[in-house]
Amino acid sequence: DAGVTQSPTHLIKTRGQHVTLRCSPISGHKSVSWYQQVLGQGPQFIFQYYEKEERGRGNFPDRFSARQFPNYSSELNVNALLLGDSALYLCASSTTYRASYYGYTFGSGTRLTVV
Amino acid sequence: AQTVTQSQPEMSVQEAETVTLSCTYDTSESDYYLFWYKQPPSRQMILVIRQEAYKQQNATENRFSVNFQKAAKSFSLKISDSQLGDAAMYFCAYRQGSGAGSYQLTFGKGTKLSVIP
């Protein structure tokens, strides 16, 4: 079975541009979460979606938005990119939004560089 | 807000030896989960071990075990018989167990583990 897949793997953008990152969860997983991992830090929570509805949002500006599609895949959008948005963006999926026993499965991330 | 602290930015261990990574956390909740994740250079976060707060017994997964001290809010990871493949960043993470809202993970800053042949 395929794991959590993220695309693209690497991306270089210019300040002020817009970017869309994509995530396909494990088959049967209905919840997708997004995390930002700045170099040298632990991941920080951005969004959680379950059954196409937003279940939670971290402390990120409105330039960050996301959505989940009927097939449970998800997009993370970032507008007006800043140099500080350069980071590894991780997607995690789980069967439900609580993911109590089985936990979360992470993808390998998208490395975004803003120049 | 919950916080997770990993006080050891870097650790090293000789192959086949034992190493312990430290983690402390702060929460006012009584129902929660704690996790250790491994992040190798491939970047994918891999779950190493989990602990439910209501369970007094420390979790064990093969060479990996935890020392969970709920009153002290401490959750250390012990790696026995260290192998070269254990070299990676290790993150301690917290997640609420119940209640409203999202169930996001709160991560520490990580500990970089090197294994010396």
Side-chain angles (χ1 to χ4, degrees), chain B residues 18-56:
Chain B
T18 296
V19 64
T20 298
L21 308 184
S22 301
C23 172
T24 58
Y25 58 96
D26 187 26
T27 183
S28 59
E29 304 293 328
S30 59
D31 182 19
Y32 52 87
Y33 292 81
L34 296 165
F35 305 85
W36 278 98
Y37 281 90
K38 170 185 177 181
Q39 187 177 41
S42 66
R43 309 181 319 199
Q44 185 178 15
M45 301 284 278
I46 301 166
L47 178 64
V48 175
I49 198 166
R50 69 169 65 81
Q51 174 79 43
E52 294 93 326
Y54 63 86
K55 288 188 176 180
Q56 293 185 344

Side-chain angles (χ1 to χ4, degrees), chain A residues 11-26:
Chain A
L11 201 54
I12 300 176
K13 289 286 191 178
T14 304
R15 277 178 297 175
Q17 284 189 317
H18 163 91
V19 69
T20 298
L21 310 181
R22 295 178 174 83
C23 171
S24 293
I26 289 175

Side-chain angles (χ1 to χ4, degrees), chain B residues 61-101:
Chain B
E61 289 286 344
N62 300 312
R63 297 182 296 108
F64 299 88
S65 61
V66 298
N67 184 5
F68 174 49
Q69 301 290 327
K70 190 172 184 178
K73 295 180 181 176
S74 171
F75 182 61
S76 60
L77 174 70
K78 185 172 81 171
I79 306 174
S80 304
D81 185 25
S82 297
Q83 301 175 0
L84 295 177
D86 295 334
M89 285 293 293
Y90 285 82
F91 291 95
C92 178
Y94 166 100
R95 204 213 76 194
Q96 71 178 70
S98 59

Side-chain angles (χ1 to χ4, degrees), chain A residues 35 37 98 101 104 106 109, chain B residues 43-44 50 95 97 103 105:
Chain A
Y35 290 81
Q37 186 178 15
R98 296 184 72 170
Y101 179 79
Y104 300 92
F106 283 82
Chain B
R43 309 181 319 199
Q44 185 178 15
R50 69 169 65 81
R95 204 213 76 194
Y103 285 76
L105 294 166

Side-chain angles (χ1 to χ4, degrees), chain A residues 19-109:
Chain A
V19 69
T20 298
L21 310 181
R22 295 178 174 83
C23 171
S24 293
I26 289 175
S27 177
H29 284 196
K30 298 181 178 180
S31 179
V32 169
S33 300
W34 288 95
Y35 290 81
Q36 180 196 64
Q37 186 178 15
V38 174
L39 193 62
Q41 301 290 319
Q44 279 200 297
F45 171 73
I46 311 175
F47 286 109
Q48 182 181 39
Y49 275 78
Y50 176 67
E51 291 280 17
K52 295 167 286 182
E53 291 191 2
E54 182 182 304
R55 295 296 305 221
R57 182 186 184 116
N59 188 24
F60 280 81
D62 291 344
R63 299 184 297 107
F64 288 77
S65 64
R67 56 179 174 168
Q68 187 177 31
F69 299 98
N71 66 353
Y72 303 112
S73 66
S74 177
E75 283 183 353
L76 175 69
N77 296 283
V78 187
N79 292 323
L81 285 166
L82 303 174
L83 295 179
D85 295 331
S86 296
L88 179 67
Y89 288 84
L90 294 166
C91 174
S93 77
S94 56
T95 51
T96 70
Y97 71 94
R98 296 184 72 170
S100 53
Y101 179 79
Y102 296 102
Y104 300 92
T105 303
F106 283 82
S108 296

